[in-house]
Amino acid sequence: MRTQVAIIGAGPAGLVLAHLLHLQGIDSVVLERQTREHIERRIRAGVLEPATVDLLQEIGLAGRLLAERLVHKGLELLFDGVGHHVPLAELAGREITIYGQHELVKDLVAARLDTGRPLLFEVSDVALHDLTSDRPRVTFVQDGQTQELQCDLIAGCDGFHGVSRPSIPDGVLTAFEHLYPFAWLGILAQAPPSADELIYAYHREGFALHSMRSPHLTRLYLQVPPDEQLADWPDERIWEQLRVRLARDDPAWQLTAGPIVERSITAHRSFVVEPMQYGRLFLAGDAAHIVPATGAKGLNLAVADVAALAQAIVENRLDGYSERCLRRVWRVQHFSWWMTSMLHRVADPFTERLQLSQLRYLTSSPAAATSFAENYVGLPFDGGN
């Protein structure tokens, strides 16, 4: 097999890159180890920055998104039993979009298949070869047969646990990592959202987040210890803690509960590797960096990466890919770390006072709120320094 670009991973990063290249007449093959059903049902992020929506619209992939999305012009910071509205659109000039990542993946898969270019599911034993040569190769197994894909370059879009980053020799990359002393217990509930916007709650019992995926599905999160087990969290305990942490002085507000259809516990970390390229291998998305979910940046950062990579391929300016992306990566890392540190409880009275001081300043200072809104809504893909 022969192609120009081998794309490892059929998540949003890999599929958006494949479509960007297709529009420029550049051939690619996308390799995915999971089934199509698996990637289209996998529940992940749901907050899209305006720059992400703009890009999807420009390349003709936003039809269903624009028809079905939820548009949020603000969010709420809840602490001391009082909700504080942050008018994102008013302060930053743009709104955010709520559209489930699994729904976006459905759109991207359908668009890829419509192009007639290869999208291969259920491949295994993927290995990358000759990365510093002019003709790198990818070997893999599909339907019991070993295949070899020759290409001009490889895009590693296969996530934190994929094969792309470990294919780079030891000592080439510098890794920066920060582990947080908590995890998120996340649930998807068949219940209408209890509010029109996201609620970020700071509480003595721990952080909580009220989000949504549709008018009928609510996404909710609880801060838990990093070694917590799902077996320790029956439905009753989950809803009890959500009611406690999302409570407010307003007696008219109440949390809408419903059947829990999905649940998971996810540890929080910040992670970056530098550079994001080695020879003819270019890392994008979670293969190169992880951000804590608090700022809702992971998917958007991945799309920004592949937008830069596609442009670098078209313009034959690949040497500058890593430097260009890392400027944005570190800006987003700082914001995500800052927001995470402000909202999650730790067993330290001094830090608690600092967190409350920051929250009170953020919700009383127009300048602080504007800076927060600009970073939360996200910087343009061609900026971000």
Side-chain angles (χ1 to χ4, degrees):
M1 301 175 63
R2 181 75 175 88
T3 191
Q4 291 173 278
V5 182
I7 300 175
I8 316 300
L15 292 170
V16 170
L17 174 61
H19 201 75
L20 288 167
L21 296 177
H22 166 72
L23 294 177
Q24 294 295 327
I26 298 173
D27 189 37
S28 66
V29 173
V30 183
L31 304 177
E32 170 57 49
R33 67 183 181 90
Q34 300 288 359
T35 66
R36 177 180 179 179
E37 179 184 25
H38 178 88
I39 68 169
E40 290 185 343
R41 295 182 61 182
R42 184 169 48 194
I43 303 298
R44 289 292 186 270
V47 178
L48 303 183
E49 296 177 359
T52 299
V53 175
D54 289 346
L55 177 66
L56 294 171
Q57 192 169 4
E58 289 168 10
I59 62 178
L61 298 181
R64 191 164 73 94
L65 182 158
L66 295 175
E68 299 182 9
R69 67 174 176 168
L70 303 176
V71 176
H72 287 190
K73 297 183 180 297
L75 57 77
E76 182 179 275
L77 295 174
L78 173 63
F79 60 96
D80 289 339
V82 178
H84 303 263
H85 181 253
V86 181
L88 299 174
E90 177 183 324
L91 295 171
R94 299 296 301 272
E95 71 282 348
I96 59 171
T97 288
I98 306 298
Y99 188 70
Q101 178 172 316
H102 63 292
E103 298 296 341
L104 177 59
V105 168
K106 291 178 186 177
D107 300 339
L108 296 174
V109 168
R112 175 63 177 182
L113 296 176
D114 284 346
T115 67
R117 298 186 187 267
L119 169 53
L120 307 182
F121 293 103
E122 298 183 78
V123 303
S124 61
D125 300 322
V126 176
L128 313 186
H129 310 273
D130 305 330
L131 297 178
T132 56
S133 75
D134 292 335
R135 291 291 182 266
R137 300 177 294 119
V138 181
T139 56
F140 60 94
V141 174
Q142 187 181 42
D143 299 328
Q145 300 293 319
T146 299
Q147 307 281 351
E148 180 177 285
L149 175 62
Q150 299 176 353
C151 55
D152 298 324
L153 59 90
I154 301 171
C157 305
D158 50 345
F160 185 78
H161 299 289
V163 302
S164 295
R165 190 179 66 255
S167 298
I168 299 174
D170 291 343
V172 172
L173 302 179
T174 301
F176 303 87
E177 185 170 25
H178 177 72
L179 300 179
Y180 297 86
F182 47 77
W184 274 13
L185 167 60
I187 67 167
L188 189 68
Q190 288 183 336
S194 306
D196 294 333
E197 298 174 340
L198 278 71
I199 304 171
Y200 288 85
Y202 176 88
H203 193 274
R204 68 185 61 182
E205 294 291 327
F207 168 78
L209 171 60
H210 170 282
S211 184
M212 61 283 292
R213 291 295 176 267
S214 76
H216 311 289
L217 288 174
T218 303
R219 187 72 163 157
L220 298 144
Y221 299 94
L222 289 168
Q223 176 186 345
V224 298
D227 57 352
E228 203 79 340
Q229 302 296 314
L230 281 174
D232 297 326
W233 285 86
D235 292 11
E236 296 78 9
R237 185 185 180 193
I238 292 174
W239 288 113
E240 177 189 7
Q241 276 298 301
L242 286 168
R243 291 187 186 97
V244 167
R245 301 186 196 186
L246 292 169
R248 62 194 61 219
D249 294 339
D250 181 5
W253 191 90
Q254 59 179 332
L255 179 66
T256 304
I260 298 175
V261 297
E262 194 264 357
R263 70 190 73 202
S264 62
I265 292 180
T266 305
H268 268 39
R269 61 156 48 93
S270 297
F271 178 82
V272 180
V273 291
E274 295 185 0
M276 291 170 54
Q277 58 193 93
Y278 171 71
R280 305 296 287 179
L281 170 62
F282 301 84
L283 304 177
D286 289 358
H289 43 70
I290 296 288
V291 291
T294 318
K297 294 299 181 186
L299 185 156
N300 298 288
L301 194 53
V303 173
D305 285 348
V306 296
L309 181 55
Q311 184 176 354
I313 293 172
V314 170
E315 298 177 355
N316 195 25
R317 294 193 302 159
L318 290 164
D319 288 346
Y321 165 71
S322 182
E323 181 181 1
R324 178 180 177 185
C325 287
L326 285 169
R327 290 172 67 87
R328 184 184 189 90
V329 167
W330 282 111
R331 174 66 257 150
V332 170
Q333 285 286 0
H334 178 267
F335 176 72
S336 298
W337 163 84
W338 171 81
M339 191 172 177
T340 300
S341 301
M342 178 177 65
L343 289 168
H344 289 76
R345 290 282 295 188
V346 295
D348 175 18
F350 181 79
T351 300
E352 175 189 353
R353 297 302 191 276
L354 293 178
Q355 291 171 323
L356 287 170
S357 174
Q358 182 63 54
L359 284 165
R360 289 164 183 154
Y361 174 60
L362 173 57
T363 54
S364 62
S365 164
T370 299
S371 176
F372 171 83
E374 181 181 66
N375 281 274
Y376 191 90
V377 168
L379 301 171
F381 282 170
D382 58 352
N385 56 4

